[in-house]
Amino acid sequence: YFNSEQEYVAKREDRIRESLNRLEEELGYKDLSRIECYDISNIQGQMSYGSMTVALNGISTNSHYRIFKIKEDGKPEDPQMLKEVLTRRLGHIHKDKDESLSSKPDMLLIDGGVSQLSYIKSIVPSDIYLLGISKGKRLKRKGAKKVDEFWKVENGMIERVEVKNKEILVNLRDEAHRFALLHHRKLRKFVQKKSVLDEIEGIGLKRKKELLKKFGNIEGIKKASKDELYEVVKNIKVVEKLLALK
């Protein structure tokens, strides 16, 4: 449909720019050059993280995405964890060497509704727009799929707003989910490697790297023969402990 890749990119950027302009007009916001979206996620109720995705001039820009590890002890609720993440993030503005964290957002888009916005609205500066997106309870008809609802914070008040030009916002929310999932997949692999090998006496960082380089993963180590393991670790006691994993 296009004469060149450059033409496609230019057309796409024009379309996104028009969509951003319509969104600004619809919400009554000025200059949404930098929109940040936040989502809280965890692995089976543990290892909680906040994901931050960014749209620059309406275009999702993954080089600006960041992950925040929740530091708060105990089992805090999502709004509490969100408040921790935003407090830390806002503290980096104009102070950090990291280009993304040092930049000031024009809008914070929260994956959540009234309860999340109520908890965090007091910590967000008044010159930063605050908007929530949630899977609404209102259905077009009985049995229909839930639709996205938007919640606007203005003068300290939270009100539901209709957003027709929502493509950029929905895409950024979906990116926050995808980015968190990607991080959790990497983390699960790391935890799996760490939880087995690091508990075996006699296996340090060097031997762990050599084992994983030779056999690829934990399953590969379990399938290895006694001679193959000895060839790597050169210690019969450690080999016997590795054989016990099978």
Side-chain angles (χ1 to χ4, degrees):
Y1 297 101
F2 299 96
N3 294 324
S4 67
E5 180 183 348
Q6 290 76 16
E7 182 183 351
Y8 165 75
V9 171
K11 291 283 187 182
R12 177 175 177 272
E13 289 182 351
D14 286 343
R15 180 178 60 80
I16 292 174
R17 200 158 27 243
E18 291 174 4
S19 180
L20 181 62
N21 290 337
R22 290 195 299 268
L23 177 64
E24 290 171 344
E25 292 176 4
E26 188 175 7
L27 292 174
Y29 292 163
K30 297 179 180 178
D31 190 21
L32 296 179
S33 299
R34 182 184 177 91
I35 304 174
E36 297 179 0
C37 181
Y38 291 85
D39 177 41
I40 300 296
S41 56
N42 59 66
I43 300 178
Q44 296 178 342
Q46 299 178 335
M47 298 184 186
S48 297
Y49 290 84
S51 58
M52 163 184 141
T53 51
V54 182
L56 300 180
N57 297 316
I59 300 173
S60 297
T61 309
N62 57 15
S63 63
H64 280 244
Y65 294 3
R66 297 293 182 266
I67 286 285
F68 294 82
K69 183 177 181 180
I70 305 298
K71 296 180 179 180
E72 197 159 339
D73 295 329
K75 295 182 178 179
E77 299 293 330
D78 275 12
Q80 191 177 344
M81 291 189 283
L82 181 60
K83 187 173 184 179
E84 178 195 321
V85 168
L86 290 178
T87 299
R88 286 163 51 193
R89 188 273 171 271
L90 294 171
H92 286 287
I93 296 176
H94 302 322
K95 298 179 183 178
D96 206 280
K97 292 181 180 179
D98 183 303
E99 179 187 357
S100 180
L101 294 178
S102 183
S103 300
K104 184 176 181 179
D106 301 300
M107 175 197 279
L108 298 182
L109 176 65
I110 306 302
D111 182 26
V114 175
S115 59
Q116 286 86 354
L117 294 175
S118 298
Y119 205 85
I120 63 168
K121 64 179 183 177
S122 62
I123 68 167
V124 178
S126 58
D127 58 345
I128 296 178
Y129 302 117
L130 185 55
L131 193 72
I133 178 174
S134 64
K135 286 294 182 184
K137 296 180 180 178
R138 298 174 176 81
L139 306 182
K140 291 182 178 178
R141 61 184 182 277
K142 187 175 180 180
K145 184 178 178 181
K146 290 183 179 180
V147 296
D148 290 310
E149 288 186 327
F150 293 88
W151 306 87
K152 181 178 181 180
V153 178
E154 195 166 38
N155 299 321
M157 302 298 291
I158 302 173
E159 60 180 25
R160 184 174 176 271
V161 292
E162 295 288 342
V163 180
K164 295 180 180 179
N165 298 286
K166 59 183 181 180
E167 178 186 0
I168 292 172
L169 302 177
V170 171
N171 179 63
L172 200 57
R173 187 271 313 277
D174 293 346
E175 275 288 276
H177 291 173
R178 183 196 64 80
F179 187 52
L181 181 61
L182 178 64
H183 176 74
H184 283 161
R185 283 175 178 168
K186 291 179 180 178
L187 189 63
R188 276 195 294 267
K189 290 181 181 179
F190 173 77
V191 169
Q192 184 183 33
K193 294 175 184 177
K194 180 179 171 65
S195 62
V196 176
L197 295 181
D198 288 6
E199 292 177 1
I200 298 177
E201 186 178 351
I203 294 184
L205 182 60
K206 183 179 179 182
R207 275 181 174 162
K208 182 169 71 171
K209 286 183 177 179
E210 289 173 348
L211 285 165
L212 292 173
K213 182 178 180 181
K214 175 72 174 179
F215 303 109
N217 52 37
I218 300 299
E219 291 304 313
I221 293 172
K222 289 179 179 180
K223 293 176 182 177
S225 68
K226 184 176 181 179
D227 290 339
E228 288 173 328
L229 293 171
Y230 185 81
E231 185 181 339
V232 177
V233 301
K234 308 295 184 186
N235 185 305
I236 191 61
K237 290 185 178 180
V238 175
V239 169
E240 290 174 351
K241 291 175 183 177
L242 289 169
L243 289 171
L245 294 174
K246 298 183 180 181

